[in-house]
Every structure is written in structure tokens, then in C-alpha cells.
Amino acid sequence: MAGIEGAITELKLVTKTDDKGGALPTAGEFKFHTKAPASIWTVKVTPEQVENGTYKQLEELQSDPSGWGLRPVLLNLEYYEGANVARQMAWNGFRLNSIASTNPTKKA
């Protein structure tokens, strides 16, 4: 996991189904624009994060899609990989661990 600065765009809810057509819990994803190195990552948001209000916080931090600039935010992201040998599938990507605190806590 690493704290990475970038900008959030294209935040959306994602509804998927299982192999039998049953609905899975609603998750989310967004595009994360980084500066150094300059790239755009797709970041996953878990169903638990949608339920606990993290998704709502991301909506407030999202850059204006019709604006000229990107608003920087600091997020804790983690890289993941996995595989399903039976289906001969591999997957990897980034998922949101948490929103980094922008207000440092004062020590008394």
C-alpha cells in the first residue's frame, strides 16, 4: 500500500452479477490521474466502502469533468493480482485502501 497523489475522475457505481445471474453487492471504480509518472489507473472501490460512506467522500474529492484543471488528492492505494487456474484467467489492478488524511492531527 502506498500514499499516492493524483486526481479522481469518472467515478461510478458498478453492479455485477455472479455466474448464475444473481446480483452482487454494488461496488465502484474511478480513474486516478498521476503526475510522476504520468499515467491513468482504474481503481476499484469495494462494496463495503460504498456502504460505509467512503464512496460519498470520493464524490466530493472528484475533479470537475467539465473543468480545466484536476484537483489533487492523496489516496492510499494497493496493487493486487490474482488468478483463476480453472478458467485460465489472471487479473491485476489497483484498489482503494483509504483516503489519506489531509488534516494532520495535532499532538498535545
Side-chain angles (χ1 to χ4, degrees):
M1 180 182 70
I4 302 172
E5 184 177 2
I8 299 169
T9 62
E10 300 179 42
L11 180 65
K12 63 182 176 182
L13 292 172
V14 178
T15 304
K16 295 184 179 181
T17 58
D18 61 16
D19 293 340
K20 297 177 183 169
L24 294 172
T26 300
E29 69 179 30
F30 59 89
K31 300 292 184 188
F32 192 66
H33 302 252
T34 63
K35 264 189 170 177
S39 58
I40 301 173
W41 305 338
T42 299
V43 179
K44 306 293 183 188
V45 180
T46 66
E48 294 80 20
Q49 291 169 323
V50 171
E51 290 175 16
N52 72 17
T54 303
Y55 184 86
K56 278 281 189 215
Q57 290 176 329
L58 291 172
E59 286 179 329
E60 296 168 7
L61 297 172
Q62 182 175 206
S63 294
D64 181 8
S66 61
W68 286 94
L70 296 174
R71 181 172 32 165
V73 297
L74 187 61
L75 301 178
N76 294 319
L77 303 178
E78 59 184 298
Y79 179 77
Y80 67 90
E81 343 184 278
N84 183 329
V85 177
R87 290 189 176 177
Q88 298 179 351
M89 294 171 53
W91 59 87
N92 60 358
F94 295 92
R95 69 177 145 231
L96 177 68
N97 186 286
S98 62
I99 299 171
S101 174
T102 54
N103 299 326
T105 56
K106 293 182 180 179
K107 294 183 180 179

